[in-house]
Amino acid sequence: MACRISELVIDAADPDRLAAFWSKVLGYAELGREDDGSIAIGPPDAGFGGPQPILVLSPSSDRRAGKLRLHIDVNATDRDQDAELERLLALGAEPVDVGQTGTESWHVLADPEGNEFCLLHTRLQPL
């Protein structure tokens, strides 16, 4: 038997802001809120336990120290990479330099709280 990734938990200074950003990026919807201020977002038709992991934005006042040890990669499903890059930038993503050479097939971006993620080149089929 094996495990599956069911959720990714991201510390957030402003969980509402990050939940709104990532919901727009991924086409997710709010699934619930906890008493501690955490917000769960995920696929609107599947929710927790579906084929995609949900995101839990958990309130934290801790400042990040250094590079993230884990980051999210995303792929467009209904447009090419250039069009998706424009969409992500319009949603509030920012380009980030983590030492790329400029010849990579991916773009390194940061969400509104500075968490790096990559937009990969390959278009995936929607689920």
Side-chain angles (χ1 to χ4, degrees):
M1 182 151 288
C3 290
R4 249 178 56 196
I5 295 174
S6 58
E7 58 187 60
L8 300 171
V9 180
I10 301 172
D11 287 350
D14 185 346
D16 283 298
R17 182 177 181 203
L18 273 194
F21 173 80
W22 283 106
S23 289
K24 290 175 187 167
V25 169
L26 300 170
Y28 278 13
E30 185 174 311
L31 302 176
R33 292 176 178 251
E34 297 294 326
D35 291 339
D36 69 354
S38 295
I39 303 170
I41 62 171
D45 297 333
F48 180 82
Q52 297 171 274
I54 67 168
L55 297 181
V56 177
L57 296 306
S58 179
S60 176
S61 59
D62 294 342
R63 300 204 46 77
R64 188 177 100 199
K67 182 181 179 217
L68 293 175
R69 296 191 67 175
L70 176 70
H71 70 265
I72 296 172
D73 287 344
V74 298
N75 297 70
T77 60
D78 63 351
R79 65 198 79 203
D80 67 22
Q81 185 188 39
D82 290 338
E84 184 63 2
L85 177 61
E86 287 182 32
R87 186 181 83 86
L88 295 176
L89 294 173
L91 290 175
E94 296 283 336
V96 177
D97 182 356
V98 295
Q100 343 36 325
T101 65
T103 60
E104 293 82 6
S105 63
W106 63 87
H107 295 277
V108 182
L109 304 167
D111 70 17
E113 290 199 5
N115 300 304
E116 294 93 359
F117 67 99
C118 294
L119 171 61
L120 304 183
H121 184 266
T122 303
R123 184 185 307 185
L124 297 179
Q125 294 297 317
L127 293 176

